[in-house]
Amino acid sequence: MRDFSAHHRWLSLNTATVRKQGDLTEIVDACARHGIRAIDPWRDQVATVGLDRAVRAVRDAGLELTGYCRGGMFVADAAHRMEARDDNRRAIDEAKALGAPCIVLVVGGLPQYSRPGSAASRDIAAARTQVHDGIAEMMEYAKQASMPLAIEPLHPAYAGDRACVNTTKQALDLCDALDPQRSGMLGVALDVYHIWWDPELMPQIARAGKDRLLAFHVCDWLVPTKEILNDRGMMGDGVIDIKSVRAAVEAQGFAGYSEIEIFSNDWWNKSMDEVLKTCIERHRTVV
């Protein structure tokens, strides 16, 4: 496993971590000041400053991207499925313009939450079928842009509203079904917040292999967790054995960035510089 103790060369910042402290161009400037070499921006942040300006800001700062958040939300009623398809195609176009190596997919839960306005349903099996079909359709467009798709399994607490793919096994089953040749166009984004609890995690990471491991996200699980969405912990403040998960990922040949993604009302109330300084320190000591 790589030694991060002397530097933060392999730290990437998911821009949601400081989304309340500044817009995307301000985040890019702060990363440059702190020697952070990579980011993973969110589509709403790009839309706020404009795609052209976002592209220039990333290029001028010399930053790499570790992904683009997010595509997916495939589950919808019949009236909203074309909207979902078109939105995902726009995500691919934006990711290509920004130079992202992949699009992170949060696949969606039940239709009324994935695509607001859709008719309500309780059929999670049908939702998972729609996810399969939606990824298959998106892949056809993604292939034209040579833009890999990274399925992110989310904690089961999100199955109803955000993602009905909740384990690494489920995500890899989709990869095997839709890309059995392992073309490089479909893989997983593994976030320790969502997968740390899974007793099958380690064998599933080994199953993924290097070619399916497209992104690796870190933060921590606080005990108690005050809110499932916006109370993630800074690495080292919770109960996840992050180094063990990273060791398993790197044992498969993953040599990319450890991307810090923290949704936290507490950390959003601190200054951007304080958050980034803490991220760097914890990356060296905990990640």
Side-chain angles (χ1 to χ4, degrees), residues 92-109:
I92 291 168
D93 295 341
E94 293 163 16
K96 188 70 173 179
L98 287 160
C102 65
I103 295 179
V104 176
L105 300 183
V106 173
V107 299

Side-chain angles (χ1 to χ4, degrees), residues 102-148:
C102 65
I103 295 179
V104 176
L105 300 183
V106 173
V107 299
L110 297 172
Q112 62 268 35
Y113 303 109
S114 300
R115 294 288 167 177
S118 291
S121 170
R122 290 186 173 90
D123 192 342
I124 196 168
R128 288 176 173 141
T129 297
Q130 278 198 44
V131 167
H132 173 284
D133 296 346
I135 294 174
E137 183 177 50
M138 188 177 181
M139 276 184 68
E140 293 305 310
Y141 192 80
K143 286 176 183 176
Q144 299 173 36
S146 298
M147 180 56 61

Side-chain angles (χ1 to χ4, degrees), residues 5 45 81 85 128 135 190 194 240 243 265 274:
S5 62
Q45 294 172 300
R81 283 174 199 158
R85 185 203 70 176
R128 288 176 173 141
I135 294 174
L190 297 184
H194 296 298
I240 301 176
K243 284 186 183 292
N265 291 318
E274 180 181 353

